[in-house]
Amino acid sequence: MSLVPLYLRAAVGAVGPRASTLPDTRLEREVDVDRGHLADYARTCGFAVGDVLPPTYPHVLAFGLHVQLMAGRDFPLALPGLVHVANTITAHRPVDAGERLHVAVHAERFVGHAKGAQVDLVAEVHVGGERVWDGRSTYLARGARAPEPAPAPRVAPAEVPGGPAAAVWRVAGDTGRRYAAVSGDVNPIHLHPLTARAFGFPRAIAHGMWTAARALAALQGRLPDAVAFDVAFGRPLLLPSTVELRTRAVDGGWALDVRSRTGTHLTATVG
Amino acid sequence: MTRSARRAAVVGGNRIPFARAHGAYAQATNLDMLTATLDGLAARFGLAGERIGEVAGGAVLKHARDRDLTRETVLGSRLSPSTPAYDVQQACGTGLQTMVAVANKIALGQLESGIAAGVDTASDAPVALNDDLRRVLMRLNGARSLPDRLRALAGIRPGQLVPEVPRNAEPRTGLSMGEHAALTALEWSVTREAQDELAAASHRNLAAAYDRGFFDDLVTPYLGLTRDENLRPDTSAEKLARLKPVFGRGEGATMTAGNSTPLTDGASAVLLGSDEWAAERRLPVLAHVVDAETAAVDFVHAGEGLLTAPVHAVPRLLQRNGLTLADFDFYEIHEAFASTVLATLAAWEDPAFAKERLGLDAPLGPIDRSRLNVVGSSLATGHPFAATGGRIVATLAKLLHERGSGRGLVSICAAGGQGVVAILEAA
């Protein structure tokens, strides 16, 4: 499914009256995993090509529904300009590519934020009635206002203390285009320096979910079957870049961060 | 000879179903397939997070980026990252040679456990820069000054942009493996009918083994495949007889796509250990590794067949162990081509060959054909070069375990005129 028309509609509709509260909309789809697509995703993010879905993969299956929901006129925030600030994923068990997935998405927690308003897009994946995967993506609209005040700020995963990097990645200039092709997230800030500049970035920036997936892939073989992955996004990762991954084992799981000379791009815990 | 060393135990094995080239595994790399195979082995025998003595693995078609492929695989697998690993390469003998390496170290007491593995892909084969272009680029890389760089760049020619695709040919003879095998088939007058019958039996036996669940604890599904993609349960010698020959020329051409192995993708692994190691973990011992032998022949200048080295390796192995060719309950002879198996058997039965080429007073004699490749072999499963050894060892160990006693012979021919053979005994 191409999300380009939805982005265009959202861009055109960005100006004008909007709803002030969240819609009750719940969007759903049945998905049979396309193994070719799964292999492309795995290759782009650094996972081995196999039968178990990478814990971050269902996010791209739900992402089209996220956009569809946020592009609607009844959604209180304008899609262009929304910033992905945090993401949590819980994979309750390994999900096999041969399983038929039921993906459902809704929005909740439209609340204030120190810099504007934030909203959570919540995705649930069921297999034959069994809940196998949860995702919660938090988006910030700078300068926007929400009906409810800001809650107590969420405790973001901490940075891994200094010391040498576990890995140094040379992130190529086309990373945004490559991840856009497998995720459907064709937000222009990721695609090209020129389109990114139009939105105030000096160069194209990597998708946060690519960086998160790439970091998770670095722990392949070291994760339990059921995974909780909690990510806070920091400074945009400008493309191309050389960045460092730091990992540290903490009570049965891992703390990790991705940083470069320009700052910390993400901090996360996984276990 | 003295046999004071302990014998390595075959605990079990795991492989992914083998896929035809550009089939179900078209998007998978050697690293992907070997990772899935080791993770499957770890799941089957409770090895997640365990430090194994070592993993010896390898691939025949290997990218330059796959330096130390096996170690890289271990690092991304469920095994403990403190498990050492190294690569072995001996064409189609790779998979069995890794088992020999691991089993010997266990026998010597240097290891308590080890994994022998192999993987190959014909779908994701390395395509190299044209060699002339590569030389220009190396010169450019070494150039210190701008004029030197320009001089190096001036060496680029349009024809160099054509990449080099790996060919299934012997570097010294320019003949493909099939063409070499066709020469041997002709030399031993192997008939088309005999080849097609052997191929049909391989498919029939493999299908029956799958149907009775024989592979349930030897194979882990991968990328949607649950059985070998090449398996044709309903094929027959009559159907195979309709295919046109692809190797050899004219009247004497007998080798077809049906009685030759196709290019295949896949991976296999075998878990080995000392009896004590297995007992501590309550793991089964299916069989013991008795002995192994590797032979090589001068197929370039001495008129030997490219794939006939096992013909020489087996008599040496038998002699060292005081055995005859009849002393086996199972014969696992790798079916590179149906004609290879048949020519090997013919050579062992030939008095003149025994005397003149093997230096024996009498030929090894015939084998009981009902004990040959009883659950199918490479003609039906396909043959991802380095993965075949592991497939056969795990299969034979399980056959011996089912039988409860007895002895099995493994024979694998390899490009470069080499051959690896081994003896397993029921535990």
Side-chain angles (χ1 to χ4, degrees), chain A residues 61-85:
Chain A
L61 299 180
F63 185 74
L65 301 181
H66 284 193
V67 174
Q68 202 182 326
L69 205 154
M70 294 190 288
R73 270 239 171 257
D74 56 352
F75 195 74
L77 301 170
L79 175 61
L82 284 186
V83 185
H84 196 179
V85 291

Side-chain angles (χ1 to χ4, degrees), chain B residues 183-204:
Chain B
L183 293 176
T184 306
L186 212 54
E187 184 190 341
W188 289 99
S189 309
V190 179
T191 66
R192 170 75 188 268
E193 292 70 30
Q195 292 178 52
D196 288 344
E197 271 165 32
L198 190 89
S202 188
H203 285 275
R204 195 168 57 236

Side-chain angles (χ1 to χ4, degrees), chain B residues 253-398:
Chain B
T254 55
M255 292 172 52
T256 68
N259 58 40
S260 310
T261 49
L263 289 172
T264 319
D265 306 336
S268 69
V270 176
L271 178 62
L272 299 145
S274 65
D275 286 348
E276 298 77 26
W277 183 86
E280 278 165 24
R281 281 161 185 73
R282 297 172 188 276
L283 293 174
V285 173
L286 304 183
H288 287 111
V289 181
V290 176
D291 199 1
E293 175 77 13
T294 306
V297 295
D298 181 2
F299 64 98
V300 184
H301 302 296
E304 303 271 7
L306 176 73
L307 303 177
T308 62
V311 175
H312 299 257
V314 166
R316 288 173 0 202
L317 182 67
L318 294 177
Q319 193 174 28
R320 185 162 67 228
N321 288 275
L323 295 168
T324 73
L325 189 59
D327 294 336
F328 292 89
D329 303 283
F330 297 106
Y331 301 87
E332 284 290 334
I333 303 180
H334 160 50
E335 299 166 339
F337 304 92
S339 66
T340 311
V341 179
L342 295 165
T344 299
L345 296 177
W348 284 335
E349 292 179 29
D350 188 74
F353 189 89
K355 202 168 170 113
E356 291 155 25
R357 309 285 277 279
L358 300 176
L360 300 173
D361 295 334
L364 302 191
I367 66 163
D368 178 349
R369 287 285 295 272
S370 69
R371 300 176 179 184
L372 173 67
N373 300 345
V374 297
V375 289
S377 189
S378 307
L379 286 168
T381 60
H383 170 42
F385 310 119
T388 289
R391 173 186 68 74
I392 291 179
V393 168
T395 297
L396 176 58
K398 181 162 178 191

Side-chain angles (χ1 to χ4, degrees), chain A residues 35-36 39-40 43 48-51 220-223 225, chain B residues 27-29 32 35 75-78 81 221-224:
Chain A
R35 288 181 185 273
D40 289 341
R43 194 79 64 228
V49 174
D51 292 276
Q220 181 192 312
R222 312 289 174 79
L223 298 171
D225 281 347
Chain B
Q27 300 221 49
T29 63
D32 295 330
T35 302
L75 283 171
S77 78
R78 294 268 174 162
Y222 182 58
L223 302 188

